Amino acid sequence: MVGRQGLRPTPAQATAVSWILKDGMQHMGKLICSNLGARMDSEPKRWRILADVLYDLGTGLEVLSPLCPHLFLEVAGLGNFAKGMAVVAARATRLPIYSSFAKEGNLSDLFAKGEAISTLFNVVGLGVGIHLASTVCSSMQGKLIAGPLLSIIHVFSVVEEMRAAPINTLNPQRTAMIVADFLKTGKVSSPADLRYREDLLFPGRLIEDAGNVKVGRALHKVVKPSKLQEWKEIFPEEKFVLSHGNKWTDMLLEHNATAEDALRGWLVAAYATSMEKSFHEPSASMLQDAYDKMNSMFTPFLNELQAKGWHTDRFLDGTGSRFAF
């Protein structure tokens, strides 16, 4: 009997294990979020907003955990899990956002000034928090009122900040918007022109004026091997494959394709879709006509694109599938 009691942990040991498990959830959140880096490169503004939402959610769960002592470990652990993901997402998206503001290699200077501003507001926030803790938030009811209100103000401010930040790398959404504007107006939009028009909630939406192109679906779902071979025989130098469907056009890229290759494919798809609307039915020569039209104007289009500040050396399609031929 004594031996069995000796195997039981003491209250102090049980408490220590509970806190270790709770803090371990934060590390688990960091590890899981670290696998999503490619998506953060593609949509840094969206993930930066999500990071702040997750952090506020985690903080809220930590505040609420004393209200349910029988579920303290679960609630506090979930809060730490959300905060762990938020920390990784916020740090990972900082570089692509800062890079859009960099001029002539001053990225370190931008980082330093960004950290200074962040530290300044953290200190101000601590002062405000101390004042609120001794007044409005001295009771749990006050915390339940002030917490959500402050979180709403915080998230709204971050959303407005991200909407105002121009990103000069090409992802599927920004590429579609550039192509759509070019087909409608004949002009190339700059990063600043597109910043307020980006859909940060549903970035994968199809844009009809850009050919309803969808990028990155699995190869076996898009095209048969025989069709792929046929495409490469017609366009052997191109690093994209198009497959026209009823609702959208799938575009697949080779593993070493750049943003220039994606732009070429997107323009072909957009021209082909426009021709199909004009003639009301697809023809065998329509794709070739669209390809020839793209070739005739691509060089001036690319030059103007680069002059506007867009980076065309890489195409950030997140975790989209690519192929090797």
Side-chain angles (χ1 to χ4, degrees):
M1 187 70 176
V2 175
R4 290 182 180 177
Q5 290 179 346
L7 293 175
R8 295 176 182 173
T10 64
Q13 289 173 331
T15 302
V17 170
S18 297
W19 281 100
I20 291 172
L21 290 174
K22 180 179 76 70
D23 292 340
M25 290 293 289
Q26 183 171 7
H27 297 297
M28 186 180 296
K30 290 180 178 179
L31 290 173
I32 291 176
C33 196
S34 65
N35 292 323
L36 305 174
R39 298 185 183 185
M40 297 178 198
D41 278 331
S42 179
E43 294 289 346
K45 296 200 286 187
R46 183 191 186 204
W47 279 91
R48 183 64 180 82
I49 295 170
L50 181 60
D52 284 281
V53 172
L54 285 173
Y55 197 89
D56 287 357
L57 176 62
T59 303
L61 289 173
E62 286 187 334
V63 172
L64 293 174
S65 58
L67 295 179
C68 43
H70 59 294
L71 293 174
F72 172 79
L73 180 60
E74 290 83 354
V75 175
L78 187 60
N80 266 7
F81 179 82
K83 290 174 72 174
M85 292 189 68
V87 168
V88 172
R91 290 175 179 174
T93 54
R94 196 171 301 168
L95 179 60
I97 294 173
Y98 280 170
S99 297
S100 295
F101 293 96
K103 300 293 183 183
E104 298 180 358
N106 64 334
L107 190 57
S108 296
D109 186 40
L110 281 172
F111 263 95
K113 287 181 170 58
E115 289 300 312
I117 294 172
S118 178
T119 302
L120 173 63
F121 278 93
N122 280 337
V123 172
V124 173
L126 284 173
V128 174
I130 292 171
H131 177 71
L132 290 176
S134 59
T135 54
V136 178
C137 298
S138 57
S139 64
M140 181 56 71
Q141 290 82 357
K143 294 175 184 176
L144 293 178
I145 294 174
L149 180 61
L150 292 173
S151 180
I152 290 172
I153 295 173
H154 173 222
V155 173
F156 174 78
S157 300
V158 172
V159 169
E160 290 302 305
E161 179 187 10
M162 290 298 103
R163 289 183 68 234
I167 302 294
N168 56 11
T169 53
L170 292 174
N171 67 354
Q173 180 180 196
R174 288 188 286 275
T175 303
M177 294 169 70
I178 290 170
V179 171
D181 289 349
F182 181 74
L183 265 62
K184 286 190 294 185
T185 66
K187 298 180 180 179
V188 175
S189 300
S190 67
D193 295 331
L194 298 185
R195 54 183 174 170
Y196 287 108
R197 293 166 49 197
E198 286 188 68
D199 190 338
L200 301 180
L201 189 60
F202 300 106
R205 65 185 177 89
L206 299 176
I207 299 179
E208 185 177 357
D209 292 332
N212 286 330
V213 177
K214 184 177 289 190
V215 183
R217 293 180 70 207
L219 179 64
H220 68 275
K221 294 181 179 180
V222 175
V223 63
K224 296 179 180 179
S226 59
K227 291 291 184 180
L228 179 61
Q229 179 69 34
E230 180 182 342
W231 175 275
K232 296 302 293 184
E233 289 176 357
I234 300 174
F235 306 111
E237 302 299 324
E238 297 299 342
K239 296 181 179 180
F240 64 86
V241 173
L242 298 176
S243 177
H244 184 68
N246 294 328
K247 296 182 178 180
W248 64 75
T249 298
D250 280 294
M251 181 168 68
L252 291 172
L253 297 172
E254 289 192 26
H255 66 90
N256 60 344
T258 65
E260 293 184 22
D261 300 305
L263 285 165
R264 291 174 67 87
W266 218 296
L267 284 169
V268 172
Y271 282 136
T273 301
S274 178
M275 292 176 183
E276 183 180 346
K277 289 180 180 179
S278 300
F279 295 103
H280 303 292
E281 60 178 18
S283 64
S285 61
M286 188 176 296
L287 187 62
Q288 185 64 53
D289 293 340
Y291 183 79
D292 293 339
K293 188 173 183 180
M294 179 275 296
N295 267 333
S296 66
M297 48 63 57
F298 186 74
T299 299
F301 169 73
L302 182 63
N303 291 337
E304 187 175 355
L305 197 75
Q306 293 171 341
K308 290 293 181 71
W310 292 102
H311 291 176
T312 59
D313 56 333
R314 59 192 182 276
F315 183 69
L316 302 175
D317 49 350
T319 55
S321 299
R322 294 200 179 193
F323 73 95
F325 191 79

